[in-house]
Amino acid sequence: MPYEQDVPRDYRERHGERTPAETADLLAENLADYRAIVHRTDTAELPSTLAGLLAARGARTVLVPPGLPSGWLTGVEQVPDRAESTPYELDRVDSVVTGCAVAIAETGTLVLDGSPDQGRRRITLVPDHHICVVRVPDQVVDSVPQALRRLTPGRPLTWISGPSATSDIELDRVEGVHGPRTLEVVLVSEV
């Protein structure tokens, strides 16, 4: 007869002591190691930062989750996240902009949980360009164990470490096979 047993959780929850600024720097460094493009701004400059990133890519249409703050995007056609959208419709969108649930500095990982500012998982997998906005320091943690405490296991969790990539048998890296070829992360300091 199986019985429940507590799993020991006496492992180290973080590796070293860091200030919130050092944790954000580590996140940026690890994201860049995974070939994500990292930008920094503050809440007042976020709309102009996003507008500049989208303009630089020539993005005219942007897929938008239902809970994305309305003031974030200007000057582009906003395409709402709809359940009935086909993969072909999603593929025609130039970019997608989302928030995130938590970002893990030690692994350079973004976690999305399907909250209103993040939308459905598929909107971050089909368009070729994903911009993810991370609020610093509120959404940044040092380690995976710290992130797990913030997440609800029943939610649809998507863990992202850089743009989609795979390697063939010769270990040649190919990007964009299972998601966006370009991942841009905007670290927003809340001032």
Side-chain angles (χ1 to χ4, degrees):
M1 176 176 188
Y3 61 93
E4 263 187 58
Q5 180 178 342
D6 285 338
V7 175
R9 307 255 187 230
D10 55 355
Y11 45 80
R12 190 178 305 175
E13 290 221 1
R14 58 193 277 195
H15 303 90
E17 294 295 319
R18 285 183 285 276
T19 66
E22 290 169 333
T23 300
D25 288 345
L26 180 61
L27 173 65
E29 179 183 322
N30 286 331
L31 284 165
D33 280 348
Y34 281 119
R35 297 187 185 178
I37 303 164
V38 181
H39 309 275
R40 293 177 187 246
T41 192
D42 59 35
T43 48
E45 294 298 317
L46 179 60
S48 63
T49 299
L50 292 174
L53 296 176
L54 293 167
R57 281 197 56 92
R60 295 181 318 277
T61 57
V62 179
L63 193 54
V64 179
L68 196 76
S70 61
W72 282 11
L73 297 175
T74 58
V76 291
E77 178 187 343
Q78 297 182 33
V79 178
D81 172 20
R82 300 175 315 123
E84 59 272 9
S85 294
T86 68
Y88 300 106
E89 291 170 329
L90 296 175
D91 193 41
R92 286 195 294 268
V93 174
D94 296 320
S95 300
V96 59
V97 175
T98 70
C100 81
V102 68
I104 307 167
E106 290 179 355
T107 61
T109 304
L110 308 172
V111 184
L112 283 63
D113 68 1
S115 290
D117 67 334
Q118 299 153 48
R120 299 168 212 279
R121 178 179 294 164
R122 69 192 189 137
I123 73 169
T124 63
L125 297 176
V126 179
D128 203 41
H129 178 233
H130 178 192
I131 299 175
C132 186
V133 177
V134 180
R135 293 187 315 273
V136 176
D138 292 350
Q139 292 182 313
V140 181
V141 297
D142 287 290
S143 67
V144 172
Q146 290 173 334
L148 288 172
R149 274 194 255 113
R150 291 187 177 202
L151 299 168
T152 304
R155 298 202 50 89
L157 302 177
T158 303
W159 296 63
I160 302 168
S161 294
S164 167
T166 191
S167 295
D168 64 16
I169 196 162
E170 286 91 24
L171 299 180
D172 292 325
R173 182 178 169 103
V174 179
E175 294 181 353
V177 176
H178 307 292
R181 282 183 184 84
T182 305
L183 173 64
E184 297 195 69
V185 180
V186 181
L187 302 179
V188 181
S189 298
E190 298 181 316
V191 287

